[in-house]
Amino acid sequence: MMAQLPPAPFRATRYVASVDRIDVGSLVAAGVRLVLLDRDNTCVPRDARVVPPAVKAWLVRLRGAGIAACLLSNNFHSAEVAASARELGCPVVDHAMKPAPFSAWAAMARMGVGPEQTVIVGDQVFTDVLAGNLAGVRTILVRPQSRRDLWYTQVFRLGEALALRGVEFEGEAPDAPGRAGGC
């Protein structure tokens, strides 16, 4: 029996195990010129202050391919978000209020790139994926870097588990812990 996909507003264009496993060549081939990146649990594990080396290396490859990046974060701790943006070497739109699409539109205008050449990468269906779909851009959902989340994000994760049942993530072993299709 085929897995049932989530309803369209909650469906990502792609599902990849982690940011550093997104093939930069595939982004180039798809005409992507801008990647809007979520911060918490996408680029930086929840409650961490340092970007993991694998994410930094991926961003170097991204820039080397001529693709710009911009941090798009709902986090209200502006100083932490700004520090991550400096560490990543990219501009930031904080207080993004995703899933509202306005911050994505503002980031694209700031970077001079249209929705057809933009992708949002994030770890949450009901914020990142929905914001991208509402903004008219492609989306890539990645697994969260940490199991630690804010209490209300943990509630959303329950709904995500149902929406992601049977969805396979590129670069993830079939028997990986936390895999959506498991028991």
Side-chain angles (χ1 to χ4, degrees):
M1 180 177 206
M2 283 187 59
Q4 188 172 4
L5 293 173
F10 306 112
R11 190 177 312 140
T13 309
R14 288 178 61 195
Y15 300 87
V16 182
S18 60
V19 171
D20 60 297
R21 292 184 181 218
I22 299 169
D23 179 52
V24 173
S26 70
L27 297 177
V28 171
V32 173
R33 291 185 44 230
L34 174 62
V35 176
L36 302 177
L37 290 161
D38 175 54
R39 177 191 182 271
D40 294 319
N41 263 344
T42 298
C43 289
V44 181
R46 175 83 183 121
D47 292 331
R49 298 195 188 281
V50 179
V51 177
V55 174
K56 286 182 185 179
W58 181 82
L59 274 161
V60 168
R61 293 192 306 274
L62 189 75
R63 286 191 194 94
I67 300 174
C70 180
L71 209 55
L72 194 65
S73 178
N74 280 358
N75 191 319
F76 278 89
H77 299 281
S78 296
E80 290 177 19
V81 174
S84 293
R86 281 191 302 275
E87 187 178 3
L88 292 166
C90 63
V92 63
V93 176
D94 60 0
H95 303 122
M97 302 300 289
K98 296 174 289 183
F102 310 113
S103 59
W105 293 334
M108 287 185 282
R110 179 179 183 179
M111 303 299 288
V113 178
E116 68 284 350
Q117 297 176 311
T118 301
V119 65
I120 288 182
V121 176
D123 68 297
Q124 293 188 54
V125 171
F126 301 119
T127 55
D128 306 309
V129 171
L130 182 55
N133 288 334
L134 292 172
V137 305
R138 290 168 281 185
T139 56
I140 299 175
L141 183 70
V142 296
R143 294 282 191 202
Q145 286 194 18
S146 170
R147 291 193 182 269
R148 293 191 64 191
D149 271 316
L150 297 169
W151 70 268
Y152 53 84
T153 304
Q154 291 174 358
V155 172
F156 286 128
R157 296 279 189 214
L158 297 173
E160 286 182 355
L162 293 173
L164 295 174
R165 186 178 304 270
V167 172
E168 294 195 25
F169 283 67
E170 298 171 31
E172 184 173 75
D175 58 349
R179 186 171 179 272
C183 301

